[in-house]
Amino acid sequence: MMHESKGIKQIVVGISHKVHVTSSANENLIGIAVRMQRLKSELQIGSGGVLMIGIWGVGGGGKSTLASSVYGEICREFDGCCFVENIREEASRYGCGKLQEKILSEMNVNRVGGGLRLINNRFCHRKVLIVLDDVDQLDQLKALAGSHDWFGEGSRILITTRDAHVLIAHKVDVIHNISLLNNDEAMKLFHKHAHRDQRPLEDYELLSKEVVSYAGGLPLALTVIGSFLCDKNIHEWKSALARLKDIPNDDIVGKLKISFDGLTKVEKDLFLDIACFFRWEKKDRAMEILDACGFHPVIGVKVLIQKALITVSEYGEFDMHDLVQEMGHYIVRVEHPKNPEKHSRVWEDEDVRKISAMDATTELDKIEAIKACYDSLLLKDQNLTPIVANMKNLRYIEWELGDPANPLSNNFPPRELCCLILSRALQKQLWDGCKLLPNLKIMELWCSNLIMTPDFGGLPNLERFKLKGSWYLEEIHPSIGRLEKLVSLCIEGCVRFKTFPPISRLKKLETLSFSYCPELFNLTMIQHQNMDNLPHLHLDNSGNKVASHGKSWTNSFVTWFKCCSSNLPEVECFLEEPSLPHNNMKRIGFQFFHNLKELCLRKLDLSRCDLRNEVIGSDVWVLPNLQELNLAENKFSRLSFRHVQLPRLKWLNVSYCYDLVELSELPLSIAVIIADGCSSLETFGDIANCKWLWKVSVQGGYKLGPLGSDLLLDSILQGNAIQDHFISVTLQHQILKGFVGRLYRGDTFTMRLPHVRMDPHTMRIRLPHDWYNDFCGFLIRVVTSDMNADINIIIKQEPDEDPPFELWQDSKQAGEPKSDGDLKTNVGYVSFNSLRRTTLLNLSYDSISFSIKRYWTSFAVELVSRKGKDDLMQTRNVAADCSEFWDDEDDYRKPFRIQHVSKSSINILWRPSDNI
């Protein structure tokens, strides 16, 4: 036994010196020390148990270097160690059997029987350290580190990969996201290779900054480019940088392209579309287009994110590393770099100019998607029509016309077209008559001179139609009412738009927007003598309403809601009111929406429509499926939902309705209210029964007052969110009752536990040992002058031992600040149950810390006790079906976002001003 132990230690020492980076060598690796420290903290060396840690990130990001550096530093603390390199290549060549033999050999284990059984039998009682480098298949992990019980107490398994899916599927304990170099680190690494550690000449400094910007913190790129430039003069540097922008370095592209090569055909097409057209595009909008093109993007985007090829920014936009995007561009162009007509995708201005200058007979069948801007084309003397018409396989076109020439005439667009986005069309109509486009699913027209939309008769599969900023448009072609597959209809910013045809046949319609169309909802009082040619309502012998023409309404007034085409009248839109004076003509304007009760309408946007009390006071709203209602920037003073039928309404926006005084009788289903800028708002009415309410924002609500604010907060805290969700309330600052404990000035106080002093902007509470049983969550109150304050919340396990439960004591308590127009009061709440549903909540967490680094700030925090057992039972029954009210929106739309999760901590970002 002693002989075996001695042999293992010799092997460990040999491996660490022969193959991997030693501690002294680590000192020469730029930025490695801080990254090693972070990874070592997640490894929890000496804490027992078996941990599998995945190191994940983009190719060339330093995953293997980090794993190797940590391995070399900690390997002596284990009974046996092994670093298995290049698993992706080795497994594809020789299979996993060879890799199993390598592990057994380096661990000094005699091979008797199968590798799987040997690894399990021989290592289950030993504390081992194994690094599995560059894994790309789940089968590889199953063969080399099948489960935690293969290894003895204290063992650590490090896995580097570009694919997060294999880590998730293998149920690793922690996924460590590799962090790229910051600007200073990148400059040091580049200088090290480009200048051989010598001080760079001043003339080279600007060029060095260009390289660092180009590399985007990717160590591989900085090393490769720096090594290439190390013996070049300044003119050669400039030439090399210019060439890089057109022709990427083969070594860099080859390394990055490994992830692309592992994708399926549809995933490759999806990635190339995002790289060429949709980087920095809002994810929601891009997903609609990609879905229309047949890419099934929900699953595909998930794969691309897990492969570290794309990301979604905190603002909900698609993003990727600059060099990954460049790799995508290179793949599209590589076979024909100088012939854009042979590319599958065209997006660069110069390439569009080349194509537009080609002969009308040029074959352009290869082009599947094109995006062009008129300002860059300079096509004043060129005819676009024959060129674009030759793109027979075009599925996506986004074109800024800006010229009377119309590329949509004659035989264009092709039958394969799925998405058509046009802007700045100067012509009054897009095409004559009915044009057959059987595959078109998305049509968007921006800032055009259209006076009427085209005929929709040849668009049987149209799902989304948006028309925005068409100042001369007055009506929609009545054929839109026959688009039975239409899901989204948005007419926005059309200030002269007056008539709208019936849409009661649009059974699949989910989103309807008339934002900034004030003329559409302008009620018109018409006396009888002006209505001889309009249809009138009367009852037939069976008591049914019918329409007829004539002079039957003597001494009557009629309100005509303009969402009725004179060509296709719907008799329900006309309502007889005998002998009513003008000031009694009300509760009639939304009769149109009464006819939509059979639709699946989920979102309705009537913002900036000049809606007033006589319109908004209607009692005929019947929209049983509506979930989101936007009434922002209108002119009504009271909004009551007493008589409406909106049983599923969750989200209401009345922001900047400056005249709004009272908002009352809210639907019981309401969850989110946004009322920023409502400077006249005095009351929300009785919301005690609105049990699903969890987010309210009333920035600028100066007249709500302390009483109204207290009633609002108390009602929310009595609702369902206190047990199972989050709460976020933003108010204009008022002196409120102290339901969240004492208030401390963030710029002067120091919170402390025994022997510990905190940063002035940080506050921490120590959790009791039984916190999960006795408390349901924690409540935070922050008073700040910053409208965009970010509050970081960290729940974690502290290494030191402190008293079991003690609030941090203050060194200087601040009095409640007086009301100030520049101050906002943010109240937030995080339930432990909400964290349990989204993460593996660790019951060993023992502290919560809060930090904000903004202007004038004060904090107050307290734990919230659980309800009684009877209340808890009732809450559990309700929470089982709470997804209808607390849906799983993308993280970028949530005010509370879980940034990082591990066994030792959960990091939550609270952004009170983010209005979902």
Side-chain angles (χ1 to χ4, degrees):
M1 194 68 174
M2 292 180 59
H3 176 74
E4 182 181 9
S5 176
K6 183 178 179 181
I8 292 174
K9 290 183 178 180
Q10 290 175 345
I11 292 173
V12 169
V13 173
I15 293 174
S16 64
H17 283 283
K18 180 175 67 176
V19 182
H20 305 292
V21 182
T22 63
S23 298
S24 59
N26 288 340
E27 298 176 0
N28 295 319
L29 295 175
I30 308 298
I32 196 67
V34 64
R35 289 163 177 80
M36 288 177 62
Q37 188 61 37
R38 178 184 160 205
L39 180 57
K40 285 165 61 179
S41 68
E42 292 177 336
L43 285 169
Q44 301 179 46
I45 304 299
S47 64
V50 176
L51 290 181
M52 293 188 182
I53 311 293
I55 305 176
W56 169 74
V58 67
K63 299 182 296 296
S64 298
T65 301
L66 178 59
S68 175
S69 300
V70 170
Y71 177 91
E73 187 165 303
I74 68 174
C75 60
R76 291 172 179 80
E77 300 182 31
F78 295 84
D79 298 333
C81 305
C82 182
F83 194 111
V84 187
E85 299 176 293
N86 302 321
I87 289 177
R88 176 181 53 82
E89 293 183 8
E90 295 294 320
S92 64
R93 290 180 183 177
Y94 310 112
C96 289
K98 289 283 186 181
L99 298 173
Q100 292 171 344
E101 291 181 4
K102 175 181 174 63
I103 293 175
L104 294 170
S105 175
E106 293 200 5
M107 294 288 193
N108 198 27
V109 174
N110 295 325
R111 293 193 301 109
V112 179
L116 280 174
R117 184 167 58 84
L118 264 179
I119 293 176
N120 188 2
N121 291 343
R122 302 304 293 271
F123 296 160
C124 64
H125 299 295
R126 297 174 61 186
K127 177 183 176 182
V128 299
L129 171 65
I130 298 177
V131 176
L132 304 176
D133 182 46
D134 197 15
V135 171
D136 71 337
Q137 299 292 331
L138 182 59
D139 288 346
Q140 296 163 2
L141 286 182
K142 290 182 177 179
L144 303 176
S147 67
H148 288 65
D149 58 14
W150 280 23
F151 308 100
E153 182 74 9
S155 293
R156 298 293 182 264
I157 314 300
L158 274 170
I159 305 159
T160 74
T161 182
R162 302 162 184 242
D163 190 350
H165 171 70
V166 300
L167 302 176
I168 296 169
H170 199 60
K171 299 179 180 179
V172 301
D173 299 286
V174 176
I175 297 179
H176 179 96
N177 190 356
I178 195 76
S179 57
L180 300 182
L181 302 179
N182 62 37
N183 193 68
D184 291 340
E185 292 169 338
M187 186 65 76
K188 289 178 181 178
L189 180 60
F190 176 69
H191 283 170
K192 176 182 177 181
H193 292 279
H195 303 287
R196 298 302 186 191
D197 293 326
Q198 298 176 3
R199 185 179 181 84
L201 298 176
E202 186 173 340
D203 295 341
Y204 287 84
E205 194 63 25
L206 184 60
L207 294 176
S208 297
K209 291 180 179 179
E210 285 188 36
V211 173
V212 168
S213 175
Y214 172 83
L218 197 71
L220 169 71
L222 292 162
T223 302
V224 170
I225 299 173
S227 299
F228 175 73
L229 294 175
C230 67
D231 59 348
K232 309 295 190 297
N233 62 39
I234 194 166
H235 301 292
E236 292 166 334
W237 271 47
K238 292 178 180 179
S239 176
L241 289 177
R243 186 177 70 179
L244 275 175
K245 296 177 181 178
D246 293 330
I247 308 171
N249 180 276
D250 288 342
D251 291 337
I252 299 172
V253 170
K255 188 76 170 178
L256 296 174
K257 193 170 177 288
I258 292 171
S259 297
F260 177 83
D261 291 338
L263 301 174
T264 64
K265 174 64 168 61
V266 69
E267 291 164 356
K268 289 179 178 178
D269 284 336
L270 179 64
F271 167 75
L272 294 178
D273 263 20
I274 295 175
C276 295
F277 301 115
F278 300 118
R279 188 183 180 190
W280 302 307
E281 183 71 65
K282 284 291 186 181
K283 177 189 173 186
D284 292 345
R285 180 174 183 268
M287 292 286 277
E288 292 173 356
I289 296 172
L290 296 168
D291 185 58
C293 292
F295 290 141
H296 307 285
V298 174
I299 182 62
V301 164
K302 181 74 170 182
V303 171
L304 297 181
I305 291 174
Q306 291 179 335
K307 294 278 189 180
L309 288 170
I310 67 172
T311 61
V312 178
S313 74
E314 60 179 327
Y315 304 106
E317 299 171 342
F318 277 133
D319 200 3
M320 61 184 66
H321 193 280
D322 288 345
L323 295 181
V324 172
Q325 183 182 39
E326 191 172 272
M327 179 262 293
H329 293 174
Y330 175 79
I331 291 170
V332 172
R333 295 167 167 162
V334 62
E335 294 183 3
H336 305 282
K338 300 299 183 181
N339 303 101
E341 72 278 9
K342 295 182 180 181
H343 299 164
S344 62
R345 295 158 180 83
V346 179
W347 67 94
E348 289 283 1
D349 297 345
E350 183 61 32
D351 289 343
V352 175
R353 278 195 289 269
K354 286 182 180 179
I355 291 173
S356 63
M358 292 178 179
D359 185 84
T361 61
T362 304
E363 292 187 4
L364 301 171
D365 292 351
K366 298 292 185 182
I367 298 176
E368 299 177 10
I370 186 170
K371 183 175 183 178
C373 174
Y374 173 78
D375 290 337
S376 63
L377 296 180
L378 303 176
L379 299 175
K380 294 181 180 179
D381 300 323
Q382 300 181 32
N383 187 358
L384 304 181
T385 302
I387 298 299
V388 181
N390 289 345
M391 301 177 188
K392 304 299 183 183
N393 293 311
L394 195 65
R395 55 176 169 78
Y396 166 73
I397 179 171
E398 184 170 347
W399 201 285
E400 185 174 340
L401 298 176
D403 192 276
N406 185 358
L408 304 183
S409 60
N410 300 329
N411 61 341
F412 177 82
R415 294 173 62 88
E416 299 301 318
L417 192 67
C418 299
C419 180
L420 172 64
I421 301 174
L422 300 177
S423 60
R424 293 179 60 191
L426 300 184
Q427 57 270 38
K428 294 183 178 180
Q429 62 179 10
L430 291 182
W431 58 70
D432 295 326
C434 181
K435 183 179 287 292
L436 181 61
L437 300 171
N439 293 303
L440 189 67
K441 292 184 177 181
I442 294 179
M443 184 176 185
E444 295 183 4
L445 306 174
W446 296 73
C447 303
S448 67
N449 286 349
L450 298 179
I451 60 174
M452 188 174 184
T453 63
D455 190 330
F456 297 96
L459 315 177
N461 291 303
L462 191 66
E463 296 178 356
R464 301 181 183 276
F465 177 69
K466 175 177 285 189
L467 192 150
K468 188 168 185 177
S470 295
W471 288 76
Y472 302 102
L473 185 90
E474 294 188 2
E475 59 181 311
I476 305 294
H477 196 281
S479 58
I480 198 170
R482 298 192 291 271
L483 296 176
E484 296 184 355
K485 293 187 178 181
L486 197 67
V487 175
S488 177
L489 173 58
C490 299
I491 312 295
E492 301 177 353
C494 300
V495 295
R496 300 183 184 182
F497 177 43
K498 297 179 179 179
T499 59
F500 192 81
I503 56 175
S504 57
R505 292 175 56 182
L506 306 184
K507 303 300 183 183
K508 292 187 177 181
L509 189 66
E510 295 182 0
T511 300
L512 180 61
S513 175
F514 292 127
S515 178
Y516 199 24
C517 297
E519 287 296 312
L520 188 62
F521 298 95
N522 197 1
L523 296 181
T524 303
M525 298 299 302
I526 305 176
Q527 288 187 336
H528 167 69
Q529 61 265 28
N530 296 324
M531 298 183 57
D532 289 349
N533 296 320
L534 291 178
H536 299 279
L537 294 181
H538 67 273
L539 301 180
D540 61 14
N541 294 332
S542 301
N544 298 317
K545 290 181 180 180
V546 297
S548 64
H549 293 270
K551 301 180 179 181
S552 59
W553 282 356
T554 304
N555 299 322
S556 298
F557 288 92
V558 172
T559 297
W560 178 28
F561 181 54
K562 294 187 178 182
C563 282
C564 298
S565 170
S566 57
N567 297 323
L568 291 173
E570 281 200 7
V571 296
E572 291 86 355
C573 291
F574 297 88
L575 195 63
E576 181 178 6
E577 296 194 27
S579 303
L580 288 178
H582 181 81
N583 59 5
N584 286 331
M585 295 301 295
K586 60 182 180 178
R587 294 167 54 182
I588 194 66
F590 281 87
Q591 181 69 27
F592 172 72
F593 294 105
H594 183 70
N595 302 315
L596 304 183
K597 62 184 179 181
E598 301 300 327
L599 303 187
C600 295
L601 199 63
R602 295 181 65 251
K603 299 181 181 180
L604 177 60
D605 187 348
L606 302 177
S607 59
R608 304 180 69 192
C609 284
D610 200 25
L611 300 179
R612 300 170 186 264
N613 285 349
E614 59 268 23
V615 175
I616 204 69
S618 170
D619 62 355
V620 292
W621 291 52
V622 183
L623 298 170
N625 298 301
L626 193 69
Q627 296 184 25
E628 298 185 16
L629 176 60
N630 189 348
L631 297 174
E633 298 185 62
N634 280 298
K635 297 183 179 180
F636 46 81
S637 62
R638 281 174 170 77
L639 180 60
S640 174
F641 292 83
R642 177 177 300 177
H643 300 293
V644 302
Q645 297 181 38
L646 304 176
R648 298 184 65 192
L649 187 68
K650 296 189 301 181
W651 185 90
L652 174 66
N653 187 357
V654 291
S655 293
Y656 303 102
C657 293
Y658 298 110
D659 298 325
L660 181 62
V661 175
E662 180 182 353
L663 183 62
S664 61
E665 303 291 340
L666 288 161
L668 301 184
S669 57
I670 197 71
V672 177
I673 303 173
I674 309 300
D676 294 334
C678 294
S679 53
S680 301
L681 184 63
E682 297 178 359
T683 178
F684 283 89
D686 184 5
I687 60 171
N689 292 322
C690 297
K691 297 298 185 182
W692 298 105
L693 192 60
W694 70 273
K695 178 172 174 63
V696 178
S697 184
V698 199
Q699 296 189 59
Y702 300 101
K703 290 191 177 182
L704 188 59
L707 179 60
S709 299
D710 284 334
L711 290 174
L712 173 66
L713 289 169
D714 287 344
S715 296
I716 296 175
L717 293 171
Q718 295 300 317
N720 294 323
I722 200 72
Q723 291 293 334
D724 287 283
H725 199 53
F726 300 91
I727 292 173
S728 182
V729 179
T730 300
L731 304 167
Q732 198 67 26
H733 181 60
Q734 300 284 349
I735 299 177
L736 307 173
K737 61 182 181 181
F739 67 91
V740 289
R742 292 178 296 176
L743 194 65
Y744 302 99
R745 281 290 296 272
D747 58 353
T748 60
F749 75 88
T750 300
M751 309 299 285
R752 68 174 73 228
L753 270 177
H755 312 299
V756 181
R757 181 175 290 275
M758 293 300 298
D759 181 90
H761 296 287
T762 301
M763 152 171 222
R764 181 178 300 161
I765 61 175
R766 196 74 171 175
L767 292 171
H769 292 307
D770 54 353
W771 59 268
Y772 187 74
N773 294 321
D774 293 346
F775 300 94
C776 58
F778 52 89
L779 198 62
I780 320 160
R781 180 185 173 193
V782 178
V783 178
T784 178
S785 58
D786 193 339
M787 292 181 62
N788 300 309
D790 293 350
I791 294 97
N792 288 296
I793 305 168
I794 302 176
I795 309 175
K796 61 183 178 180
Q797 193 173 13
E798 289 289 342
D800 58 312
E801 294 186 2
D802 287 315
F805 178 55
E806 184 177 350
L807 285 175
W808 294 86
Q809 300 300 313
D810 65 302
S811 59
K812 181 179 179 181
Q813 182 176 347
E816 181 78 39
K818 296 180 179 180
S819 180
D820 189 324
D822 293 331
L823 294 179
K824 308 293 181 295
T825 295
N826 301 304
V827 178
Y829 171 79
V830 177
S831 72
F832 295 136
N833 282 353
S834 65
L835 299 178
R836 184 184 62 180
R837 287 199 309 271
T838 56
T839 65
L840 183 61
L841 192 62
N842 190 342
L843 299 186
S844 64
Y845 294 146
D846 55 10
S847 73
I848 311 175
S849 62
F850 310 84
S851 64
I852 178 173
K853 296 182 179 179
R854 294 291 182 177
Y855 301 107
W856 197 106
T857 301
S858 61
F859 272 106
V861 183
E862 71 174 15
L863 292 173
V864 178
S865 298
R866 282 196 178 277
K867 295 181 180 180
K869 292 183 178 179
D870 294 339
D871 293 332
L872 282 178
M873 185 60 67
Q874 181 180 0
T875 301
R876 289 192 186 100
N877 294 335
V878 172
D881 191 32
C882 66
S883 59
E884 180 180 352
F885 302 92
W886 301 330
D887 48 14
D888 51 347
E889 296 284 357
D890 289 330
D891 284 343
Y892 71 90
R893 298 186 67 189
K894 296 178 180 178
F896 289 93
R897 306 168 197 181
I898 297 177
Q899 303 284 86
H900 174 75
V901 178
S902 70
K903 280 194 170 183
S904 58
S905 67
I906 296 177
N907 192 349
I908 305 169
L909 178 64
W910 176 31
R911 287 185 164 171
S913 297
D914 280 11
N915 293 329
I916 63 174

